[in-house]
Amino acid sequence: MRNIEIKAKVSDLKQLLEKAKILAGQEAIIIKQHDTFYNVPNGRLKLRRFVENGEGELIFYNRPDSEGPKLSSFEKVSLQSPSVAGLNKVLDKALGAKIDVKKTRHLFLVEQTRVHVDEVEDLGSFMELEVCLKPEQEISEGEKIAYDLMEKLGINKQDLISGAYADLIK
């Protein structure tokens, strides 16, 4: 699976949420997430736990740590409760947990793009775009969609950040 991603710092959360709502044509889906990142030799491996229902996802992904639209390749498996907590213990013992990221995500769907407006504990407000590429789509088409949405949402190039939230938490 592939998508084109960008991540940016948000200075006016209320304004961004309103713009995203207009583009999506509906209210956000609110998701409380707790991500644990593990030590791995390449890429990133995280266990995402959904606070409300105890379910989760194990996600491995590879993407460059650069600002602006970038290709992300990933594999993901959904997990049912109560095995999520047990899996976290096993992964922590086997690989070592690197860091935890807790956030409240406002999810908007705009055509083939997932717009995430995140309030990250101890970090602040951020926005992610994930343009979900269709198998036949070129990377350049996904980048164009990302840039177009950045403009519509009022995201400036100087707001862009590289890496993951886990890289920003000290």
Side-chain angles (χ1 to χ4, degrees), residues 117-133:
V117 181
D118 294 332
E119 296 175 76
V120 183
E121 190 176 287
D122 299 325
L123 274 185
S125 300
F126 296 85
M127 186 272 324
E128 289 182 345
L129 297 178
E130 290 181 352
V131 182
C132 302
L133 293 175

Side-chain angles (χ1 to χ4, degrees), residues 34-40 45-50 54-60 75-98 100:
H34 180 170
D35 294 349
T36 300
F37 287 77
Y38 302 95
N39 296 307
V40 292
L45 179 68
K46 68 182 171 185
L47 177 63
R48 170 164 292 156
R49 288 166 275 175
F50 299 106
E55 295 181 358
E57 298 172 325
L58 185 62
I59 305 166
F60 172 79
E75 297 292 331
K76 176 171 61 170
V77 62
S78 295
L79 305 165
Q80 301 300 311
S81 180
S83 63
V84 176
L87 181 59
N88 181 48
K89 287 180 185 177
V90 170
L91 289 170
D92 185 28
K93 288 209 182 286
L95 303 171
K98 188 163 34 173
D100 285 307

